[in-house]
Amino acid sequence: MKDRILGKKGFEVSEVGLGCWQLGADWGEAISKDNAFEILNEAVKNGITFFDTADVYGNGKSETLIGEFLKTCDVPIRVATKFGRAGNAYPDKYSKDVLRKTVEGSLKRLQVDTLDLLQLHCIPSQYLKDGEVFNWLRDLQAEGLIKHFGASVETVEEGLICMKQEGLLSLQVIFNIFRQKLVSELFPVAKEKGVGIIVRLPLASGLLTGKFNTQTTFPENDHRNFNKDGESFNVGETFAGLPFKKGVELVETIKKDILSDDLTMVQLSLRWILDHDAVSTIIPGASSPKQVIGNAAVSNLEHLSPQTHEQLKEFYKNHVHQHIRGGY
C-alpha cells in the first residue's frame, strides 16, 4: 500500500482508505460486529490506515464499531468523521452548541480525546456561503477537540466556496469515471491551495464493478433501490446521478471498447482515480474482507496508459456527461 499526504498541512494516509457507511447498516444487509471487525482487520492487514465514517451512519453504530476496533488495533489509524446530516442539525438547526455536542458524541463513540478530521457533511450551501460554521470549527480546533477540519460537498461550486476558508484541510467529493468535471474545474484550485481530496463513491454505487445488468434488483432498504433517481437525497449520490439502465449500458461499452484483458472493471475504475495527483485517498466501502483485499491491491498496480486515459476522457465527454442529473 502506498501512502499520500492529505493536504499541504495534513497527515499521511493510505491512498486506498475504507468507507464505513456500510458498517452502520443504514441500507442493505446488516453487518454484525464480528463481520465488521473482519472487514476492519483485513483493511489494516492490507495497509489501509484511513477510515471514513459519520455520526449519522447507523445513528452512531459505525463510529461505535470503529472505536471498539481501535482499542484492539496496534497500528495507528486515522479516522475522519462528519457533522451535519443528523436530525439535531439538518436542515436548518446549525449552531456552535449543536456542533460541540455532536463532536462530543463522536469522541465518546470513537473512544478518542480528539478527532483527526471532522468534515461538514453536505450541509446546505447557504451555510457554506455564510461561513460562520467554519469559525465554529476553528474554535473547536483551538480547544483541541478536533485536529483538522474539512468538508464533504456535492458540487464543484460548493467545493470552491469551501476552499476560500482558511485552515480547510480537505474536501470529500464524488469522483469517478462517470464524474470527470472535477479534473478541470476543482482539482487545479485544490492543488494550488494545498487542499487534500478524499474521493467517495469511486465505483458509482457499484455500477463500475461491472457486475450489474439491467435486471439487477436491490433490497427494499438499499439506497440503490429507494434513491436510484434521487427521491430521498442528492440525486448524484446514487449511481453518480445516472439513470441505472443507462449506467449499465455505459459500463458495457467500457468493457467492450476500453477495458484491457489484464484488468477488472474495479481495477480500471480505482486506478484511474489514483492516477490523478490531486487525489489524496479513495474510500470505497466493503461488505466483505474479499472486497477489501481487492480494493487495497489497486495501490500497487501500474498507472494506466496515456491512451487509456484519453479514451476514458473522450468517453465521458461524448457519452456520459449529458446523462448526469442533479447538482454537479
Side-chain angles (χ1 to χ4, degrees), residues 86-100:
N88 60 339
Y90 185 81
D92 57 4
K93 298 181 178 65
Y94 297 98
S95 70
K96 186 176 178 180
D97 184 57
V98 169
L99 171 60
R100 181 185 297 278

Side-chain angles (χ1 to χ4, degrees), residues 203 208 259 262-272 294 297-298 301 304:
L203 297 174
L208 288 166
L259 183 65
D262 60 337
L263 292 174
T264 66
M265 270 301 303
V266 169
Q267 290 171 332
L268 174 75
S269 301
L270 298 184
R271 187 65 251 176
W272 179 84
V298 173
L301 294 178
L304 302 178

Side-chain angles (χ1 to χ4, degrees), residues 246-261:
K246 172 56 67 173
V248 170
E249 174 190 319
L250 292 169
V251 169
E252 290 304 312
T253 301
I254 294 174
K255 288 181 181 178
K256 175 176 173 287
D257 297 339
I258 302 175
L259 183 65
S260 61
D261 293 338

Side-chain angles (χ1 to χ4, degrees), residues 45 48 61 73-74 76 82 86 100 102-103 116 126 143 151 153 175-176 206 220 265-266 290-291 296 305 323:
K45 281 171 58 179
I48 291 175
K61 179 182 176 183
C73 181
D74 296 329
K82 307 184 194 76
R100 181 185 297 278
T102 299
V103 167
D116 292 318
Q126 65 263 32
E143 293 175 35
V153 297
F175 179 58
N176 54 54
E220 185 178 348
M265 270 301 303
V266 169
K290 182 179 178 181
Q291 289 180 349
S305 69
H323 298 291

Side-chain angles (χ1 to χ4, degrees), residues 4-5 47 87 93 113 135 154 178 212 215 226 240 263 269 280:
R4 301 185 183 188
I5 300 298
K93 298 181 178 65
D113 296 323
N135 290 329
E154 295 175 341
F178 289 155
F212 299 161
Q215 305 307 310
F226 65 76
L263 292 174
S269 301
S280 303

